Structures are given as structure tokens and as C-alpha cells.
């Protein structure tokens, strides 16, 4: 049965048609300013249509013909008029109040509504001189849009002033919040699409208002654009009652101001008055907090702009609804080259904006339009915060060598790998109290990074209870950002980095998958930025993955998933790095390197529990610099070819590989074993595939051309095969890793279940070497019996055998 709804009084409050409705009253625009604002917006809408449709005749100086139309009509009209309407009014506010402001477009595929004002304000031409303010430049501007070799329909990295693409929905507020951190004079205007508002990441990110300190941070001005429709459906927030929506937003802690309607003249007045009120509210809250020195959470203002989908399009085409309906979402008139009536309709539509009044004889926007834009770096397209490398300052980093531990002999002492890293990050924070933050979803203490609280507490500006003083580590000036939403934290960090600052995020391995797609989007952003000479270098996104698969004694199967590494390997080799340091000193060396790097996503995998320590600081630095190498102290093949190569990557896999090597050397003293540890995973790829890749000669020298390789890996085994499949000796590479076998296990039992344990590895070596395949039968039997005994002990006592848990390298 079709959904029906009778017209009601509530309908009158939800429709965009009829008299303009606004929370803030007033008519701040005089007739001339209102006329100029509307002319600027008309020009934006004309440009948006030109981008979608035209490949010639950009100013309609002659009748529109089929040959003037692009062969493929791509792009999205529906969100564009609302975005340019907002941009137009923010420009006015910047000029009136001398604001420092950047703009983020959350609605997907809304680029025409942003590119148009960027062109009119001259920002676009300054970066792309061939798109100058002339008829030829305008034609180039139109032709590049959604065209091979041109630009996409989002606010991609090629878009001046953009640090948020909007291709994947849900991140605009978290990105905006990160941009506002430590930028006390910046206002980040963030347009939220009402389709976007239905996503999980956006729903959690309404809470960013609890993370902004009015003393030291800038402000985020959310603008929820209720245009009513997604691609083919109504949007939820546009169809709940006005009171319910207002209560929802107030419940999130905002002061919502509504601007609702479709009639341009009154909508301009209402929007101008509302933006002025929001700027006043922001400045009042910040002034009061900064004067008193007391950081309290304001009820920050936000705007709800209810306007038609595809505003200013024809209301109907061929008797079907367009403006104010989902048919306006993409290309409202799609067959203009084949349907003469539709071509006439498009021409009439475009001429309704009166381009002859908007552009002069040379094709330049007329002076009164150019004057509506701010000047210089006040233009949102050229604000330095939106090209953060201009503002980035290098971190002051203490000498990481001072945070390491003494390792007199390999494999003799245990230490929690991440705890010294926490002390190191504490002092990085102390030295960089305005441009470095630590992020984590309620897990920094769990991840043994809690030393950072000695430099800066967790930011908290909500209510306090007396018991929070008992280890809560909360403060209104805290710089450690914790919220149980990986989406929001990742977005905050990305916004912080893209505006020129530095940060570090840690999370549990099994749940880093929550941000798989956010990682994908940021990697794609960096890849494109690397191709743009005008985009300045930004600090790398540093991600520590801990609480790893192999130490989930109590969490069990749900917390066992090392598959994020597979996701990382899918992305461009220009921007991705994966490190698996096996001990404290190598983790510190890797972390120091990552904090100093630019334009990468550095993924570091290191467990937080006690682990054997293998390298002193000098050895760790050398090993990490190489990325992989032979551990001579664990090998006995020097001067000759090995019988087998024992390789490993990751802390527990390294331990088990070493224990297997010790078992084999005790049983078969004549066996020649080469032990290789891998820290930099991309070393396994050829140098033609990744900048860190080993040459084939070096790989063959290390891993041999024909000897068995037993590779014990932290993640899923096929990832190693994927990286090394082109290598000469790949056919002899036998990888052990996680196979989805586990539950509430002791560490060794979990290793046994997945065949990465010492006994399985030793048996595998025996089976692969013809000389001991038969004579080694007795040793294999002993190893299997030890496996059984270890399982039985775990089931009886709930822990691993003391001789297993306390194993040390016998050398």
C-alpha cells in the first residue's frame, strides 16, 4: 500500500513553499545590498548549470544548440543552489564582521554550488590561470567539470578552500571540529546535508560541541540544509515535525535558528539576519570565556536552512515535479540534445538568471558581483587554513633514544611495548602545546599511553562529578581527545592535520575497521594532493593499532581481526606505510620517524601487553632504518646458504618464530637457519611497486632463490603472498597467520589454533626439508605432544604453562 499523508497544519510548517519563516526577525539588507547579493547568487546558479551542461557558448551569446551541450551530462544540481546561497551570505558576513572563516560542504556531489562562488571571488583563477575571468576562461571552467582529465563533482582536493570532499557522507562536522581546534579566531562553516544527517558518523558528530573550548579554540557553525530529498527518497529530518527537529537539535546542545522558504528576496533578508545573529552569539561566548578565563560549554548557534531541492529550477518538466523534489538531485533535464523542447526549456532556464547582466562584454563577472566577495586571504577559497601546509610548523620532538629500555641480551626481559611510547608522547605534547593532540576512543589508559595525561588531561567541558577527581584525568584545557566514536575522532584528527597541525591516534585492532572507509577517503585525498603543486605538505596521519589479535585472552573472537592491514595495502603506495615493530625500542624509533613525516598514513601495529625485548636502541634504530633484516644472534647460517629461512612480522609471531628456531636448533644442531624480522611490511614488495620495496637482488639475497621460507605473520596469511607474489622464491614461501580460529584462549592456545605457534612452525620446517623429513619424525611427535600438553594445561589452569609464558631465548 502506498504511503499517504493528509495535508495538515504541520505540513504548512514543513513545506518550503509559502511565506518565509525565520527564528530571527529583521531586514538588515538595504535594497542595493539585497540586489547585489541576489545577483551574486544568480551568477552562482548560472555557473552551476553551465558546469553540468555546456561545452560551448558559455554566456549564451547565441541561441543554444545541441552542439553546445556536453556529450555526457554528469553532475548534481540539487544541493548546489543551497550551498551557493550559504556561501553568498557567509561572504557578506566575512566582509561585515572581518571574519576568518573556511567553508565545508557536507552534501555529496555539491561541487557546482561551491565552485561557482570560488570562480566569482577570483580564488579559482589565482590557482588555475587558464580559468581566468573571461569568456574563454569561463568555457575552460565549464568544460573541466565531470570531464575526463578535469575535476569531479565533489569538493575534491583540486577545489581551492576545500579540506573536505563530501564524496562519502558523514564527516563534515568532525572535520570542522578538528579544523577549529587551537585556532581561536577561526569560524568553520559546515553545511550538513539532510541525507548526510542520516549517517552514523554524522549522528555522533553532533557532539563536537562538547569538545570545543571557547577560550583557545575556534567555532564551528553547523548549517543543516533541509532540501527534503536524497537521490530518490525524502529525508528523515525534513519530514519530522518542526518541534521534534528543534527539540532534537536543542537536545544535542545547540541553539538552532531556522530559515525556511523559497522566495529569494525574503530568504536573503532572513539569512542575513540569522548569520549576523550566529556570529554575534559566537563572539559573545568567546569573549565572555576569554575575559573570565573560565571555559564553559556554550549552547553554540546553528542554522537550519529549509530550502527547495534544486532551488530555482523549473517547478515541473513534462508534468513531473522537479524543483522541490528528488528529480532535481542530479541532471534535471537529461535529454536536451535529442529533445528540442527540452533544449528550449534549458535555454529558458539558464536565461532566467540574466547572464547578460552578470557578465560584461569580455566575459568577466561585472564589478558589483566581484565586490561582493571578500578580499585577499579573507576569501574562503584562499584562506590559509584550508591549505594547512602554509601554516604547519615542525614539531619539537625530544630525543626518542632517551625513552628506550636497556636490553643487554636479546630475548631475556619483558616490558609493555607501548608504555614507553606514552612517555615519549607526553613530552612531545609538552613541547607542542598548540599544535599537537592525542586522540583515542576511551582507550589511552588501556593502551598503556596514560603517561600523556601528565602533560595534558582528557578534554572535558560537560558536567563534573566529585568522583571524577579520583583518576578521571579530566580538564577543560585537556588536549587528549577521547570519545567512544572512532568516526568522530578520526574526523577530528584529519581536520586538525589538514589545517596544519600534528596528531596521533590509537585504537583497538579489531575495531579500527570502523574507520576503514574514512581511511580510504583520506588516502585518496592525499594521493590527489600529491599531484597538485599548490597543495602544501601536511603532517602524516599516525595511527597506532594495539590490543591486537594475539592477546585477546578475555575479549575473545570478537576482538580478533587483523584485517585492517589488507585495507591499507589497497591504497596508493605513495601515501601508505605499515610498520610492525616487535619491541619497545623499535616502536620508539618508528614513532619518531612517523611524527616527522609528511603526506602519509602511517599504520603502526604494536601490542600493549608485556613482550620479550630483542634489541638495544642502536640495534633497533639500524633495524628500523633498514626495514627488515637478518637477526644474526638468532641465525646460524653465516658464511653459507641456509637450509631454511625463518621470517616473521609482528610481536607474538616473532616470539613464536624465535621459540621454533630454538627448538629446531636443539633437535637438529646441523640445521642452518636464517632468521629474518620484518618491521616495514612494504619492504616485501618490489621496488617498482612501492618506494620502500626491496630490489629483486636484495630480496633474493636475503630470502634465497630456492630454500623454504616459513613466514610467521601478524595478520591474514594471504597478505604476505599478495606482497611477495612476484619474487623469485615465492613458490617456496609458506605463510602462517591468523585464520579466524579463536575464542577465549590463552596466547599460546590461540597461536596453536591458527598454526603460528612454535610447535607448528618447527613441524612445518621438518616437513619442508628433505634431509630431515624422515629422521625428524621423532621430533615432530615430541612437538605434537607438547602442543597437547599446553592445551590441557590451559584448559585446567586458565593460563599458559610457566615454561611457555616464561620462555627466554636460550642463546
Amino acid at each position: 500500500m502506498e504511503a499517504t499523508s493528509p495535508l495538515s497544519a504541520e505540513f504548512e510548517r514543513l513545506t518550503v513553499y509559502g511565506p518565509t519563516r525565520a527564528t530571527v526577525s529583521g531586514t538588515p539588507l538595504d535594497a542595493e545590498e539585497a540586489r547585489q547579493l541576489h545577483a551574486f547568487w544568480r551568477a552562482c546558479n548560472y555557473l552551476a548549470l553551465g558546469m553540468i551542461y555546456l561545452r560551448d557558448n558559455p554566456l549564451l551569446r547565441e541561441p543554444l544548440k545541441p552542439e553546445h551541450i556536453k556529450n555526457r551530462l554528469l553532475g548534481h544540481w540539487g544541493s548546489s543552489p543551497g550551498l551557493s546561497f550559504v556561501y553568498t551570505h557567509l561572504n557578506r558576513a566575512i566582509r561585515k564582521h572581518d571574519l576568518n572563516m573556511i567553508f565545508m560542504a557536507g552534501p555529496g556531489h555539491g561541487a557546482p554550488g561551491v565552485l561557482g562562488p570560488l570562480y566569482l571571488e577570483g580564488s579559482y583563477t589565482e590557482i588555475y590561470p587558464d580559468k581566468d575571468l573571461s569568456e574563454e576562461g569561463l568555457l575552460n571552467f565549464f568544460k573541466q567539470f565531470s570531464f575526463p582529465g578535469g575535476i569531479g563533482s565533489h569538493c575534491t582536493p583540486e577545489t581551492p578552500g576545500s579540506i573536505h570532499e563530501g564524496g562519502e557522507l558523514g564527516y563534515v562536522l568532525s572535520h570542522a571540529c578538528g579544523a577549529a581546534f587551537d585556532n581561536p579566531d577561526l569560524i568553520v562553516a559546515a553545511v550538513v546535508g539532510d541525507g548526510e544527517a542520516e549517517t552514523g558518523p554524522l549522528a555522533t558528530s553532533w557532539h563536537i560541541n562538547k569538545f570545543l573550548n571557547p577560550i583557545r579554540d575556534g567555532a564551528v557553525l553547523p548549517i543543516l540544509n533541509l532540501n527534503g530529498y536524497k537521490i530518490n527518497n525524502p529525508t528523515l529530518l525534513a519530514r519530522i515535525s518542526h518541534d521534534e527537529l528543534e527539540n532534537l537539535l536543542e537536545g544535542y546542545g545547540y541553539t538552532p535558528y531556522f530559515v525556511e522558504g523559497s522566495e529569494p528576496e525574503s530568504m536573503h533578508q532572513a539569512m542575513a539576519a540569522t548569520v549576523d545573529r550566529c556570529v554575534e552569539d559566537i563572539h559573545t561566548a568567546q569573549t565572555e570565556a576569554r575575559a573570565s578565563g573560565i571555559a564553559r560549554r556554550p549552547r553554540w548557534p546553528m542554522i537550519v536552512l529549509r530550502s527547495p531541492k534544486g532551488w530555482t529550477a523549473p517547478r515541473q518538466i513534462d508534468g513531473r515535479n522537479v524543483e522541490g523534489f528528488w528529480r532535481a538531485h542530479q541532471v534535471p533535464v537529461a535529454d536536451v540534445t535529442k529533445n528540442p523542447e527540452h533544449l528550449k526549456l534549458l535555454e529558458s532556464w539558464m536565461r532566467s538568471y540574466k547572464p547578460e547582466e552578470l557578465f560584461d562584454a569580455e566575459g568577466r563577472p561585472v564589478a558589483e558581483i566581484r565586490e561582493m566577495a571578500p578580499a585577499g586571504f579573507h576569501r574562503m577559497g584562499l584562506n590559509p587554513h584550508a591549505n594547512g601546509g602554509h601554516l604547519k610548523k615542525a614539531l619539537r620532538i625530544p630525543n626518542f633514544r632517551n625513552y628506550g629500555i636497556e636490553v643487554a641480551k636479546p630475548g631475556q626481559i619483558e616490558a609493555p611495548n607501548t608504555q614507553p611510547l606514552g612517555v615519549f608522547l607526553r613530552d612531545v605534547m609538552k613541547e607542542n602545546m598548540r599544535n599537537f593532540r592525542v586522540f583515542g576512543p576511551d582507550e589511552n589508559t588501556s593502551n598503556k599511553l596514560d603517561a600523556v595525561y601528565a602533560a595534558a588531561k582528557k578534554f572535558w567541558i560537560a558536567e563534573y562529578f566529585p568522583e571524577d577527581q579520583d583518576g578521571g584525568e579530566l580538564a577543560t584545557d585537556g588536549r587528549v581527545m577521547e570519545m567512544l566514536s572512532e568516526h568522530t575522532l578520526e574526523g577530528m584528527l584529519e581536520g586538525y592535520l589538514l589545517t596544519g597541525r600534528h596528531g596521533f591516534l590509537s585504537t583497538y585492532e579489531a575495531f579500527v575497521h570502523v574507520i576503514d572507509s574514512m581511511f580510504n577517503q583520506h588516502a585518496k585525498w592525499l594521493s590527489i594532493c600529491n599531484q597538485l603543486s599548490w597543495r602544501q605538505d601536511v603532517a602524516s596521519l599516525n595511527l597506532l593499532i594495539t590490543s591486537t589479535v594475539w592477546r585477546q585472552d578475555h575479549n575473545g573472537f570478537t576482538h580478533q581481526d587483523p584485517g585492517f592491514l589488507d585495507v591499507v595495502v589497497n591504497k596508493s603506495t605513495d601515501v601508505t606505510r605499515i610498520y610492525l615493530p616487535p619491541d619497545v625500542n623499535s616502536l620508539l624509533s618508528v614513532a619518531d620517524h612517523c611524527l616527522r613525516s609528511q603526506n602519509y598514513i602511517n599504520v603502526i601495529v604494536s601490542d600493549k601487553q608485556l613482550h620479550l625485548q630483542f634489541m638495544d636502541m642502536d640495534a633497533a634504530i639500524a633495524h628500523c632504518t633498514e626495514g627488515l633484516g637478518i637477526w644474526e644472534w638468532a641465525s646460524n647460517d653465516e658464511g653459507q646458504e641456509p637450509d631454511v629461512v625463518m621470517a616473521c612480522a609482528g610481536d607474538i609471531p616473532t616470539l613464536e618464530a624465535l621459540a621454533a628456531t630454538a627448538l629446531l636448533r636443539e633437535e637438529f644442531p646441523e640445521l642452518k637457519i636464517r632468521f629474518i624480522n620484518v618491521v616495514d611490511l612494504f619492504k616485501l614488495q618490489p621496488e617498482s611497486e612501492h618506494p620502500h620495496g626491496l630490489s629483486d637482488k636484495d630480496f633474493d639475497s636475503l630470502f634465497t632463490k630456492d630454500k623454504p621460507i616459513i613466514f610467521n605473520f601478524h595478520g591474514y596469511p594471504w597478505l604476505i603472498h599478495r606482497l611477495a607474489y612476484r619474487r623469485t622464491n615465492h613458490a617456496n614461501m609458506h605463510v602462517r597467520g591468523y585464520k579466524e580460529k579463536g575464542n577465549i584462549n590463552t596466547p599460546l592456545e590461540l597461536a596453536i589454533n591458527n598454526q603460528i605457534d612454535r610447535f607448528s612452525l618447527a613441524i612445518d620446517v621438518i616437513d619442508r626439508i628433505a634431509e630431515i623429513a624422515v629422521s625428524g619424525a621423532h621430533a615432530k611427535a615430541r612437538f605434537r605432544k607438547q602442543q597437547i600438553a599446553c592445551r590441557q594445561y590451559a584448559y585446567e589452569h586458565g593460563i599458559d604453562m610457566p615454561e611457555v609464558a616464561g620462555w627466554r631465548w636460550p642463546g
Side-chain angles (χ1 to χ4, degrees):
M1 182 176 178
E2 292 184 0
T4 60
S5 176
L7 297 181
S8 63
E10 190 58 46
F11 170 82
E12 299 297 329
R13 300 190 73 190
L14 299 183
T15 180
V16 294
Y17 296 108
T20 295
R21 309 177 300 278
T23 308
V24 180
S25 61
T27 54
L29 305 175
D30 62 31
E32 179 62 15
E33 187 177 20
R35 187 187 67 78
Q36 287 183 287
L37 274 176
H38 189 58
F40 189 95
W41 186 48
R42 281 164 43 212
C44 290
N45 291 332
Y46 180 84
L47 294 176
L49 279 180
M51 281 180 261
I52 294 172
Y53 283 101
L54 298 184
R55 62 172 175 158
D56 204 353
N57 191 17
L59 290 170
L60 300 185
R61 296 277 166 82
E62 59 179 293
L64 194 60
K65 300 175 183 177
E67 55 264 33
H68 300 153
I69 305 298
K70 291 180 177 180
N71 292 317
R72 289 196 307 166
L73 297 180
L74 303 170
H76 291 69
W77 165 255
S79 298
S80 296
L83 285 167
S84 60
F85 182 80
V86 172
Y87 202 110
T88 298
H89 279 272
L90 295 177
N91 273 348
R92 171 189 171 272
I94 292 170
R95 289 184 294 107
K96 179 178 179 180
H97 302 285
D98 191 27
L99 301 179
N100 182 11
M101 179 178 281
I102 61 174
F103 181 85
M104 294 190 190
H109 301 282
V114 180
L115 292 167
L118 287 170
Y119 179 78
L120 295 175
E121 73 183 21
S123 301
Y124 210 86
T125 296
E126 290 196 27
I127 292 176
Y128 303 107
D130 62 320
K131 281 79 177 179
D132 63 354
L133 301 180
S134 69
E135 186 169 1
E136 181 181 0
L138 181 59
L139 183 60
N140 291 336
F141 181 70
F142 284 171
K143 287 179 67 175
Q144 69 168 351
F145 179 76
S146 287
F147 201 83
I151 59 173
S153 60
H154 317 142
C155 293
T156 62
E158 293 95 337
T159 305
S162 175
I163 64 166
H164 172 83
E165 180 156 341
E168 183 177 8
L169 302 179
Y171 311 136
V172 67
L173 289 181
S174 57
H175 282 160
C177 183
F181 285 154
D182 297 314
N183 273 327
D185 299 323
L186 183 67
I187 297 177
V188 186
V191 180
V192 179
D194 51 355
E196 178 184 26
E198 297 178 9
T199 65
L202 196 284
T204 62
S205 65
W206 287 116
H207 291 295
I208 63 164
N209 57 12
K210 287 90 173 172
F211 291 89
L212 291 167
N213 182 322
I215 297 175
R216 68 169 182 212
D217 297 329
V220 175
L221 176 60
I223 303 164
L224 174 60
N225 186 199
L226 295 178
N227 64 34
Y229 294 91
K230 306 185 283 287
I231 293 175
N232 194 229
N233 269 300
T235 56
L236 294 174
L237 293 187
R239 293 295 182 91
I240 63 176
S241 74
H242 182 284
D243 290 343
E244 185 178 355
L245 177 61
E246 187 170 25
N247 290 338
L248 175 69
L249 298 173
E250 288 179 347
Y252 276 127
Y254 292 94
T255 300
Y257 295 111
F258 287 76
V259 178
E260 304 171 284
S262 61
E263 194 282 312
E265 183 177 351
S266 56
M267 286 291 282
H268 281 303
Q269 293 285 1
M271 191 66 173
T274 301
V275 172
D276 284 348
R277 173 69 64 82
C278 290
V279 171
E280 179 184 344
D281 288 356
I282 289 169
H283 286 166
T284 297
Q286 291 175 335
T287 299
E288 290 177 356
R290 292 167 190 179
S292 68
I294 300 172
R296 294 190 179 93
R297 180 166 65 95
R299 296 190 67 88
W300 295 105
M302 66 168 292
I303 298 172
V304 180
L305 172 64
R306 192 187 299 269
S307 61
K309 183 91 167 180
W311 199 359
T312 71
R315 286 290 301 274
Q316 290 192 333
I317 298 176
D318 297 336
R320 311 298 294 270
N321 292 325
V322 178
E323 187 207 50
F325 199 54
W326 53 260
R327 288 192 185 91
H329 182 76
Q330 292 180 303
V331 180
V333 195
D335 59 347
V336 290
T337 58
K338 298 178 181 179
N339 186 325
E341 292 303 315
H342 283 184
L343 182 65
K344 290 181 181 178
L345 186 151
L346 174 63
E347 181 174 7
S348 176
W349 178 9
M350 296 190 72
R351 290 192 185 278
S352 73
Y353 299 117
K354 301 181 180 179
E356 69 279 3
E357 297 178 3
L358 306 174
F359 300 90
D360 64 20
E362 285 74 40
R364 289 169 54 86
V366 296
E368 68 176 7
I369 287 179
R370 298 198 307 272
E371 290 167 0
M372 296 306 293
F377 292 125
H378 278 77
R379 288 173 290 176
M380 290 188 285
L382 291 180
N383 190 302
H385 292 284
N387 190 359
H390 280 300
L391 304 175
K392 180 172 66 67
K393 296 180 180 179
L395 286 175
R396 299 179 62 185
I397 301 179
N399 189 338
F400 70 93
R401 296 166 180 81
N402 298 331
Y403 301 84
I405 62 173
E406 294 293 330
V407 180
K409 293 182 179 180
Q412 302 304 311
I413 63 168
E414 288 186 325
N417 283 349
T418 58
Q419 195 168 58
L421 174 63
V423 180
F424 176 58
L425 292 175
R426 174 200 69 193
D427 291 349
V428 174
M429 184 89 78
K430 285 181 180 178
E431 294 293 325
N432 303 274
M433 291 295 277
R434 295 193 177 196
N435 65 335
F436 179 78
R437 294 198 184 203
V438 171
F439 300 78
D442 189 35
E443 294 161 359
N444 283 302
T445 297
S446 174
N447 292 338
K448 305 292 193 294
L449 302 177
D450 48 305
V452 296
Y453 302 138
K457 306 295 186 184
K458 308 171 195 176
F459 179 78
W460 191 258
I461 202 170
E463 293 299 322
Y464 280 80
F465 286 179
E467 52 264 37
D468 292 328
Q469 299 300 317
D470 184 16
E473 304 289 2
L474 307 178
T476 57
D477 63 349
R479 302 187 60 78
V480 180
M481 315 310 294
E482 296 193 11
M483 177 185 177
L484 204 52
S485 167
E486 288 88 347
H487 283 125
T488 306
L489 290 169
E490 171 76 10
M492 288 176 178
L493 175 57
E494 290 175 1
Y496 199 58
L497 299 174
L498 292 172
T499 47
R501 281 74 65 76
H502 308 256
F504 192 94
L505 187 152
S506 69
T507 190
Y508 287 179
E509 182 174 56
F511 307 120
V512 69
H513 281 298
V514 172
I515 57 170
D516 276 1
S517 57
M518 294 190 75
F519 157 82
N520 286 338
Q521 295 300 313
H522 192 68
K524 290 175 183 291
W525 179 277
L526 292 176
S527 294
I528 297 299
C529 286
N530 285 342
Q531 303 168 31
L532 302 172
S533 60
W534 61 272
R535 283 281 181 186
Q536 300 299 304
D537 294 337
V538 296
S540 297
L541 194 158
N542 300 308
L543 177 57
L544 173 66
I545 296 176
T546 186
S547 190
T548 58
V549 57
W550 301 110
R551 296 300 297 269
Q552 294 301 332
D553 315 7
H554 63 294
N555 288 318
F557 196 43
T558 59
H559 283 52
Q560 296 166 6
D561 187 341
F564 185 70
L565 300 185
D566 300 68
V567 177
V568 177
V569 170
N570 289 337
K571 296 299 107 183
S572 169
T573 58
D574 291 337
V575 301
T576 50
R577 303 290 186 266
I578 298 174
Y579 302 101
L580 295 102
D583 62 3
V584 165
N585 291 334
S586 57
L587 175 58
L588 287 167
S589 179
V590 164
D592 177 81
H593 168 77
C594 292
L595 288 173
R596 297 177 188 275
S597 67
Q598 299 181 138
N599 301 337
Y600 299 144
I601 300 178
N602 297 309
V603 177
I604 308 169
V605 183
S606 180
D607 189 58
K608 63 189 181 182
Q609 307 291 356
L610 287 169
H611 290 276
L612 276 183
Q613 302 300 305
F614 307 114
M615 295 175 283
D616 64 25
M617 185 56 76
D618 289 341
I621 293 171
H623 185 54
C624 292
T625 302
E626 290 294 325
L628 84 174
I630 298 170
W631 280 0
E632 295 181 2
W633 53 268
S635 307
N636 64 348
D637 69 316
E638 187 169 0
Q640 54 196 304
E641 289 201 12
D643 297 308
V644 64
V645 175
M646 186 72 77
C648 55
D651 35 39
I652 290 291
T654 296
L655 166 68
E656 292 301 317
L658 283 168
T661 298
L663 287 172
L664 289 166
R665 287 175 61 172
E666 182 178 356
E667 291 282 351
F668 308 100
E670 74 285 359
L671 192 66
K672 300 303 178 187
I673 302 174
R674 177 176 297 174
F675 193 95
I676 296 177
N677 178 263
V678 178
V679 172
D680 182 346
L681 198 62
F682 282 115
K683 284 288 183 179
L684 300 178
Q685 279 196 306
E687 59 184 349
S688 61
E689 300 300 314
H690 195 282
H692 287 193
L694 278 182
S695 69
D696 286 334
K697 288 183 178 179
D698 285 342
F699 193 93
D700 291 345
S701 177
L702 280 170
F703 289 93
T704 78
K705 291 185 176 182
D706 56 3
K707 297 298 188 291
I709 304 166
I710 310 300
F711 200 119
N712 215 29
F713 179 49
H714 174 85
Y716 291 107
W718 48 80
L719 182 57
I720 299 300
H721 289 295
R722 177 180 170 186
L723 294 172
Y725 77 97
R726 291 173 56 184
R727 298 300 192 175
T728 303
N729 200 24
H730 178 255
N732 285 318
M733 182 175 283
H734 310 285
V735 185
R736 301 289 172 258
Y738 185 65
K739 298 180 179 180
E740 291 292 315
K741 305 288 186 183
N743 208 316
I744 306 298
N745 307 113
T746 64
L748 182 61
E749 188 198 4
L750 181 61
I752 292 171
N753 287 348
N754 291 277
Q755 297 180 304
I756 74 152
D757 65 291
R758 60 199 70 184
F759 308 115
S760 296
L761 297 174
I763 291 169
D764 204 8
V765 169
I766 294 171
D767 289 341
R768 305 286 179 190
I769 299 177
E771 291 79 3
I772 60 173
V774 176
S775 63
H778 295 283
K780 287 169 61 176
R782 286 191 290 273
F783 296 156
R784 290 195 176 104
K785 288 178 181 177
Q786 290 180 68
Q787 272 185 329
I788 293 170
C790 288
R791 281 188 187 276
Q792 290 176 337
Y793 189 93
Y795 287 159
E796 182 177 354
H797 300 281
I799 58 174
D800 284 324
M801 287 181 172
E803 56 266 39
V804 169
W807 182 86
R808 300 292 184 265
W809 175 251

